[in-house]
Amino acid sequence: MSVDVKTDNALFELTLRMGDNALILGQQVSAWCGHAPVLEEDIALANTALDLIGQTTLWLGLAGEIEGKGRRADDLAFLRDTRAFRNALIVEQPNGNFGQTLMRQFLFDAWHLPMLTALKSSADKRVADIAEKSAKEAAYHLERSEDLIIRLGDGSDESRRRMQYALDGLWPFAGELTLADEIDAALATRGLAPALADIQTQHVERIRAVLKAATLKPPEGAPIRKGGKAGMHSEHLGFILADMQWLQRAYPGATW
Amino acid sequence: MYAQEVKSTGKGVKSLEEMEPQERAFQEKIDADIKIEPKEWMPEGYRKTLIRQISQHAHSEIVGQLPEGNWITRAPTLERKAILLAKVQDEAGHGLYLYCAAETLGISRDQMTEQLLSGKAKYSSIFNYPTLTWADIGAIGWLVDGAAIMNQVPLQRCSYGPYSRAMVRICKEESFHQRQGYDIMMKLVKGTTEQKEMAQDALNRWWQPSLMMFGPSDKDSVHSAQSMAWGIKQNTNDELRQKFVDQTVPQAEYLGLTVPDPDLRWNEEKGGYDFGEVDWSEFYEVLKGNGPCNAERMAARQKAWNDGAWFREGLMAHAKKREARKVAAE
Ligand SMILES: [Fe+2]
Ligand SMILES: [Fe+2]
């Protein structure tokens, strides 16, 4: 392993965070294939997963390039252990029932779109290009997830109860997406990524508006659950990786 | 093949002379290769047989998501994961076009779903076999989609307009799936010893079930004659099976894999392969529900439907509320 490569660490972290969020969420959503409540949802979820896996390939490909140690997107996806993953905790939360999957998606999409939109003006052209392409997909995902949140929240008593339950459980994880650490601050100073406080405002406003239309109430005073961005994960991630990485681990060095 | 044993009317095929004028006009259209469209008159038997055939085909696409979907989360690379996701998504899309085509014949998607979940309607026997290794994903694309194409290409000329048009769209995607499946096999046989063994093992397990996809042997297939006269079936089961074997054996050879059939040999005289008799007792057991995964496939579809009831009802409740608000505002 050569040690003379100078990795831009903050930029590397940014691409891992974006890539790992897309990867872990895409991986989880893809498990619905064939098991959704209606055929149209099977198709729509496969589509979302497909977009996210496509974005993963771009982000992790760039991460490998920035790192400069010859790791490709697949190496980063399939051969890192939990502590090296940089996704926020929300995306590794279990699929649960379909309502929980939708709520997780909505809370994520409502962050993803403003984040990608801001990254389109990143000082790094490669980051801006990926954001440009991904933002279109994220806009579509958000349109779909917020529409379903509203219809199911303001639906039957049963569907409202389930959506409120999903919100109560997932709400504490939403905050991590826009909680800035030193890396985020450094990225913002260099114009590589937006100040997360701005994204937070947009995230919260969008969520409030949709929840209001959905007749759902965010739980009050719930502390933010965080750690994933810094590699401190929940127990769920290990199982997700065990499933996802199994073939690569079982047959080291094989090409597929 | 996706519709392996479609019961027809059970009556013999009438000659033109025996028909009432309306039916005669209908049959003459078919004989002249003019498509039948939803609003037009058609014999009850034609309508019923088509509903059975198209809905079996649609159910096969839907249940067919399961064995392959089984490997999406474990696909070995990001690219393979994306390709497999796209494929399974295509299959769901095929199900959707086909349900729409069947709906033009006066049955609703909910009715068809109910028939599937109650076990009344059938789906292709092939999806009752397990996907045990990654090579199975290659074998399914190569063999199962390959067999599907073999059957569906002639169905593009089917006499019923909506079915025929659905087939045109579907066939394009199926050939793509087959190439991708073959590509997975190619990677495996060029890989490590373990990968090559995995590929051979998959061929060993999927070969016979693939041959069964074409349905029972012609001598035991009682429903073909009327369906052929109606232009909803163009070739006999054995003809298609022969074509499939002739096409697939050289592909297996190119991969360096052995087709698991000691009786397989080239027959110069007929210009095709002779091959061993399919184990029809296994086929009928699988159709009866006793295959290795019938119970799991049905359970998965029932669970998806039952667990999703609140979701579907929630959306309906919302639509009603919205409608009521609109009325109140007027
Ligand atoms: Fe298909
Ligand atoms: Fe296919």
Side-chain angles (χ1 to χ4, degrees):
Chain A
M1 193 106 333
S2 70
V3 280
D4 42 11
V5 186
K6 265 267 192 284
T7 303
D8 181 338
N9 211 51
L11 196 53
F12 181 53
E13 287 285 327
L14 173 70
T15 48
L16 284 184
R17 287 172 180 187
M18 295 305 293
D20 289 347
N21 278 331
L23 173 57
I24 301 302
L25 187 58
Q27 171 74 4
Q28 299 239 77
V29 171
S30 75
W32 276 102
C33 242
H35 304 278
V38 283
L39 193 45
E40 284 80 353
E41 288 300 314
D42 274 319
I43 295 174
L45 288 185
N47 204 52
T48 302
L50 203 49
D51 287 345
L52 291 169
I53 297 302
Q55 294 174 17
T56 303
T57 308
L58 299 174
W59 286 120
L60 295 187
L62 179 55
E65 192 182 315
I66 290 164
E67 188 193 33
K69 292 180 182 166
R71 290 202 283 182
R72 298 157 310 148
D74 278 340
D75 299 323
L76 290 168
F78 293 95
L79 299 174
R80 273 180 304 155
D81 204 345
T82 40
R83 300 278 282 119
F85 270 77
R86 294 291 182 262
N87 60 279
L89 295 181
I90 190 167
V91 296
E92 67 194 52
Q93 296 312 302
N95 280 348
N97 66 36
F98 201 66
Q100 289 163 304
T101 287
L102 287 175
M103 186 57 77
R104 183 184 65 195
Q105 188 72 41
F106 164 63
L107 296 172
F108 178 85
D109 294 340
W111 161 79
H112 206 203
L113 179 60
M115 183 69 182
L116 289 169
T117 307
L119 283 174
K120 289 201 274 187
S121 357
S122 170
D124 188 295
K125 171 89 166 56
R126 297 165 298 177
V127 169
D129 285 349
I130 298 175
E132 179 80 44
K133 182 187 174 287
S134 309
K136 287 187 198 109
E137 294 167 349
Y140 180 69
H141 300 166
L142 178 58
E143 193 181 301
R144 232 187 69 80
S145 63
E146 70 183 16
D147 174 60
L148 282 171
I149 296 298
I150 293 170
R151 285 156 72 196
L152 292 167
D154 185 21
S156 65
D157 291 346
E158 162 92 355
S159 70
R160 175 189 286 127
R161 188 184 62 69
R162 282 177 183 265
M163 296 318 286
Q164 183 64 52
Y165 179 78
L167 178 62
D168 292 345
L170 288 160
W171 179 259
F173 295 100
E176 184 185 9
L177 293 164
T178 54
L179 201 63
D181 60 12
E182 282 169 15
I183 294 168
D184 294 309
L187 289 165
T189 309
R190 293 167 59 196
L192 291 166
L196 287 190
D198 296 346
I199 305 299
Q200 186 182 32
T201 312
Q202 296 178 58
H203 190 209
V204 170
E205 271 174 15
R206 189 82 176 225
I207 292 174
R208 296 268 170 197
V210 171
L211 292 182
K212 185 159 182 274
T215 71
L216 299 173
K217 285 196 182 62
E220 295 203 19
I224 291 178
R225 296 189 57 182
K226 62 177 190 335
K229 276 170 74 169
M232 286 294 289
H233 292 276
S234 64
E235 290 177 347
H236 302 299
L237 185 63
F239 291 96
I240 297 169
L241 297 187
D243 190 30
M244 182 174 83
Q245 299 182 337
W246 177 72
L247 266 176
Q248 288 278 357
R249 302 284 193 181
Y251 300 91
T255 48
W256 303 91
Chain B
M1 101 16 291
Y2 273 12
Q4 290 160 316
E5 238 209 346
V6 180
K7 293 203 166 37
S8 191
T9 56
K11 295 186 198 115
V13 180
K14 279 189 223 167
S15 68
L16 284 175
E17 290 67 37
E18 290 169 289
M19 292 175 185
E20 299 294 324
Q22 206 170 27
E23 186 173 359
R24 186 179 170 135
F26 166 86
Q27 187 63 49
E28 280 168 347
K29 254 188 174 173
I30 289 178
D31 297 343
D33 259 342
I34 299 169
K35 297 273 179 254
I36 308 299
E37 294 300 333
K39 293 279 170 317
E40 297 169 19
W41 184 89
M42 59 187 80
E44 212 30 39
Y46 176 85
R47 199 179 63 81
K48 283 201 172 132
T49 308
L50 263 178
I51 287 180
R52 282 201 202 93
Q53 182 169 335
I54 301 174
S55 67
Q56 265 191 40
H57 190 162
H59 297 326
S60 300
E61 302 281 0
I62 299 308
V63 177
Q65 292 182 89
L66 299 171
E68 290 182 284
N70 186 30
W71 277 88
I72 292 175
T73 61
R74 289 177 289 170
T77 66
L78 293 171
E79 190 187 7
R80 290 287 179 208
K81 193 186 289 295
I83 292 172
L84 184 55
L85 258 168
K87 185 197 182 213
V88 176
Q89 188 192 30
D90 283 349
E91 306 302 2
H94 297 172
L96 199 56
Y97 309 152
L98 288 162
Y99 281 134
C100 293
E103 281 182 320
T104 62
L105 292 157
I107 185 169
S108 71
R109 204 208 300 183
D110 280 355
Q111 280 174 301
M112 289 184 270
T113 301
E114 198 276 318
Q115 290 174 353
L116 172 68
L117 298 182
S118 70
K120 191 175 164 241
K122 299 290 175 216
Y123 57 89
S124 177
S125 58
I126 193 76
F127 300 119
N128 291 311
Y129 290 85
T131 48
L132 301 178
T133 71
W134 173 250
D136 291 18
I137 301 307
I140 290 183
W142 170 35
L143 302 172
V144 175
D145 288 84
I149 296 165
M150 205 51 88
N151 192 60
Q152 291 170 11
V153 163
L155 283 175
Q156 296 180 103
R157 289 181 281 113
C158 159
S159 61
Y160 189 56
Y163 192 29
S164 143
R165 290 187 288 272
M167 277 304 134
V168 173
R169 283 178 81 171
I170 289 174
C171 279
K172 278 192 202 128
E173 294 179 350
E174 301 293 13
S175 349
F176 202 53
H177 299 164
Q178 196 204 13
R179 281 204 295 279
Q180 289 162 342
Y182 196 71
D183 185 61
I184 290 177
M185 298 304 279
M186 195 57 113
K187 265 273 161 40
L188 292 174
V189 300
K190 284 187 180 156
T192 64
T193 313
E194 281 168 312
Q195 284 176 302
K196 190 162 182 193
E197 281 167 7
M198 203 185 270
Q200 180 63 55
D201 172 61
L203 174 58
N204 292 350
R205 284 181 290 110
W206 290 94
W207 177 252
Q208 280 265 332
S210 300
L211 297 183
M212 293 175 196
M213 287 176 69
F214 298 94
S217 166
D218 293 347
K219 58 183 191 296
D220 303 313
S221 180
V222 284
H223 312 294
S224 286
Q226 179 64 71
S227 288
M228 288 177 102
W230 277 335
I232 55 184
K233 188 175 167 103
Q234 274 80 4
N235 306 83
T236 72
N237 297 349
D238 286 337
E239 277 167 21
L240 290 171
R241 192 171 7 253
Q242 180 72 51
K243 258 183 103 171
F244 175 74
V245 171
D246 292 344
Q247 177 189 288
T248 310
V249 169
Q251 293 171 349
E253 281 167 0
Y254 190 75
L255 289 169
L257 297 176
T258 309
V259 173
D261 178 355
D263 298 325
L264 183 80
R265 55 183 55 83
W266 178 254
N267 179 332
E268 189 61 53
E269 209 169 308
K270 77 172 181 190
Y273 287 91
D274 289 333
F275 54 97
E277 188 64 32
V278 172
D279 181 356
W280 293 114
S281 62
E282 177 178 317
F283 172 73
Y284 286 111
E285 278 306 306
V286 177
L287 276 199
K288 264 195 276 172
N290 302 325
C293 291
N294 293 64
E296 286 85 344
R297 301 294 182 240
M298 287 307 286
R301 288 313 304 164
Q302 280 158 351
K303 183 174 190 308
W305 189 249
N306 296 337
D307 288 358
W310 72 271
F311 171 86
R312 299 186 301 273
E313 283 155 17
L315 294 185
M316 299 226 291
H318 178 79
K320 269 198 197 132
K321 280 185 186 175
R322 194 176 268 186
E323 187 56 32
R325 280 176 210 146
K326 216 176 103 193
V327 172
E330 270 161 17

